[in-house]
Amino acid sequence: MNPIIVGNDAAIADRICAALHRFGVDRSQAQVLSPDVAFAALQSAKTQSVQLVFVASRNFAAEDLAWLQRLCSLANERVRFVAVGPVCDPRVVIRVIRYGVLDYLDVNDNFDSELTMLIERLKRVRRDVTQSGKMFAVFSPSGGAGVSAVASNLAVAIANKRASCALLDLHVHGGDQVTLFNAAPRHTLSALASKAENFDLAMFEQALVKHPTGVSLLAGPEPFGDDRQITPQVIQKAVQFARTSCLHTVADMEGAKLPDQIRVLATSAQIVMVFRADYVSITRVIKCLEYFKASNISSDQLLLVANRVGQTNELPIAKIEETLGRAIRHRLPDDSAAVNMSFNLGEPLVKSAPKSCFAAAICNLADDLLGERPEPTAIAPAHWLKPFRTAAGRMGNIFDQIARPALQLNRDKA
């Protein structure tokens, strides 16, 4: 930080320099300028970081207020002004604040502590200015769709391509990401929620588990634990801090808490809805799509992903697309042997078996979310193709005769 101190009062300027020195700012780094020189310097400067300008005055008389207002006309997201002076006339303080300063610090009372709080706030401001990451929410309207497995592997795939990725386990009734990564977190989401009043960015970053894959994991609560303190506000804070800390975040969502987590879904760059290719799952997908529409969630945010494709007697993807009126852009193969092994080892499949069919399909999904062109991959292992093709025609007929009329009946009732 190379702060600028503007004003004609040498005593206040020395006080500011001494306080900044305690934050590691050498006196030679701080520029003390007159108002006219400071205005010219700031007008021509092109800074990439936040430039902090302290405007000091002994009383902020009419002349001082005039050049303060002129300086504040240069304020933007990277140039921030802080007024420093005595707090004697509240009307002057209000007038100074209305000119657009970030804060007014009282030079006569608790100046050091006020400056400390300001610096801590600016640390967050700098992060917010430089990056606001994208979040990808992964959830399913039905159980048993493999959401956590998809989310963990998706986070690893993104980290492989972008060096890092945050992963939030938002299963408030007990998450499995700690087990899937064989991790030992210092703090979980429930621990942060128990300190909600003090929950800040520093606490969030301390709670993250830095995994060798490049994934930074916020662990969900222990199963069967007390989740009453995990409010939508706490979840929203965690999401905001994750987007500040990392360019990409994957949120492993719990569908059972959908109304509470609708804000998280609404602010996601993409919502990855994972489902099984069976009648029960598709029925829930239809109801969820209707709920999203009523909640004003844009259909452009939604990405449908069929998981465990290739199982015997599943519904044909083409028939599902026809019923939903939406394309199924990604189909994750039923590679149960490899997936189960990764569960037992506590190592995501994208890391332990990157050439597996499931890992390849997950990497394609990551490419799609990151705006890259996915490569074509096989939907199922070769030895499964023949029986799958045989069953597909039979299940297509069953779908037309039984499942489709039932789904239409449910939609008409809704």
Side-chain angles (χ1 to χ4, degrees):
M1 180 171 61
N2 297 308
I4 295 175
I5 301 170
V6 183
N8 298 315
D9 193 305
I12 296 181
D14 286 343
R15 180 88 184 269
I16 296 172
C17 286
L20 290 172
H21 183 68
R22 287 188 282 275
F23 287 95
V25 179
D26 191 84
R27 285 178 178 268
S28 61
Q29 295 177 282
Q31 304 178 65
V32 182
L33 306 176
S34 68
D36 290 335
V37 173
F39 184 86
L42 292 170
Q43 199 172 32
S44 60
K46 293 183 179 180
T47 178
Q48 295 301 313
S49 59
V50 174
Q51 177 68 66
L52 195 58
V53 182
F54 293 91
V55 184
S57 174
R58 181 58 59 185
N59 55 17
F60 281 108
E63 182 182 354
D64 295 342
L65 289 172
W67 54 255
L68 172 64
Q69 184 177 22
R70 185 165 177 254
L71 282 169
C72 286
S73 67
L74 302 176
N76 55 48
E77 64 178 9
R78 297 192 183 278
V79 179
R80 304 296 181 94
F81 292 88
V82 179
V84 181
V87 177
C88 51
D89 187 344
R91 291 173 298 179
V92 172
V93 175
I94 292 173
R95 190 171 175 183
V96 168
I97 294 295
R98 286 176 177 171
Y99 286 157
V101 299
L102 185 65
D103 206 345
Y104 189 115
L105 306 184
D106 187 353
V107 73
N108 293 327
D109 186 27
N110 297 322
F111 176 71
D112 287 358
S113 62
E114 288 188 9
L115 181 60
T116 299
M117 290 188 289
L118 174 66
I119 297 297
E120 291 301 319
R121 284 166 51 201
L122 285 174
K123 288 179 180 178
R124 301 188 188 104
V125 170
R126 282 201 297 274
R127 292 185 181 186
D128 290 340
V129 169
T130 55
Q131 71 176 40
S132 180
K134 289 184 177 180
M135 188 179 69
F136 308 117
V138 184
F139 93 107
S140 177
S142 62
V147 170
S148 292
V150 172
S152 60
N153 281 280
L154 179 60
V156 174
I158 292 175
N160 285 345
K161 297 173 183 294
R162 295 293 187 268
S164 67
C165 182
L167 174 59
L168 308 181
D169 191 339
L170 301 182
H171 285 249
V172 298
H173 295 305
D176 295 319
Q177 291 297 346
V178 164
T179 306
L180 294 177
F181 280 88
N182 192 24
R186 291 176 58 191
H187 305 289
T188 65
L189 180 62
S190 55
L192 296 177
S194 67
K195 303 174 182 177
E197 292 183 359
N198 300 315
F199 181 20
D200 59 11
L201 182 60
M203 287 180 62
F204 173 81
E205 292 182 337
Q206 289 173 3
L208 295 177
V209 178
K210 307 293 185 180
H211 196 265
T213 57
V215 172
S216 296
L217 169 65
L218 175 62
E222 289 285 336
F224 308 107
D226 186 357
D227 57 42
R228 288 174 295 179
Q229 292 178 305
I230 305 177
T231 63
Q233 291 73 27
V234 169
I235 291 176
Q236 195 66 26
K237 264 191 175 183
V239 168
Q240 291 171 349
F241 293 149
R243 295 184 63 183
T244 298
S245 302
C246 199
L247 286 174
H248 299 94
T249 298
V250 173
D252 181 5
M253 306 286 292
E254 185 175 40
K257 299 284 287 186
L258 190 59
D260 287 345
Q261 298 183 357
I262 198 70
R263 287 178 60 193
V264 178
L265 293 170
T267 57
S268 300
Q270 290 267 245
I271 302 170
V272 180
M273 184 190 290
V274 184
F275 64 91
R276 306 183 311 270
D278 60 51
Y279 172 69
V280 174
S281 188
I282 299 307
T283 300
R284 283 183 168 263
V285 169
I286 291 174
K287 292 180 179 179
C288 188
L289 291 176
E290 293 168 352
Y291 178 80
F292 278 3
K293 185 177 181 180
S295 301
N296 295 319
I297 291 181
S298 172
S299 60
D300 294 337
Q301 292 176 258
L302 191 60
L303 185 64
L304 297 181
V305 175
N307 193 21
R308 298 174 178 168
V309 173
Q311 292 185 338
T312 304
N313 291 337
E314 68 183 15
L315 297 177
I317 296 297
K319 296 290 185 179
I320 296 174
E321 289 180 322
E322 186 180 338
T323 299
L324 299 179
R326 297 182 63 97
I328 312 300
R329 294 213 333 232
H330 293 274
R331 310 172 189 186
L332 309 180
D334 182 30
D335 202 353
S336 56
V339 171
N340 287 340
M341 181 61 71
S342 77
F343 288 173
N344 296 333
L345 294 175
E347 193 172 45
L349 201 57
V350 171
K351 173 69 175 178
S352 61
K355 295 185 179 180
S356 64
C357 294
F358 182 83
I362 286 286
C363 289
N364 269 1
L365 174 58
D367 286 341
D368 194 356
L369 294 174
L370 295 173
E372 301 177 3
R373 185 184 298 275
E375 295 294 331
T377 57
I379 293 177
H383 63 278
W384 283 339
L385 288 178
K386 186 174 180 180
F388 173 67
R389 286 169 180 159
T390 302
R394 184 171 66 254
M395 290 309 299
N397 293 333
I398 294 174
F399 184 88
D400 286 334
Q401 295 170 14
I402 301 175
R404 188 192 303 282
L407 289 172
Q408 186 60 48
L409 180 61
N410 285 335
R411 179 174 287 176
D412 292 342
K413 288 180 179 179

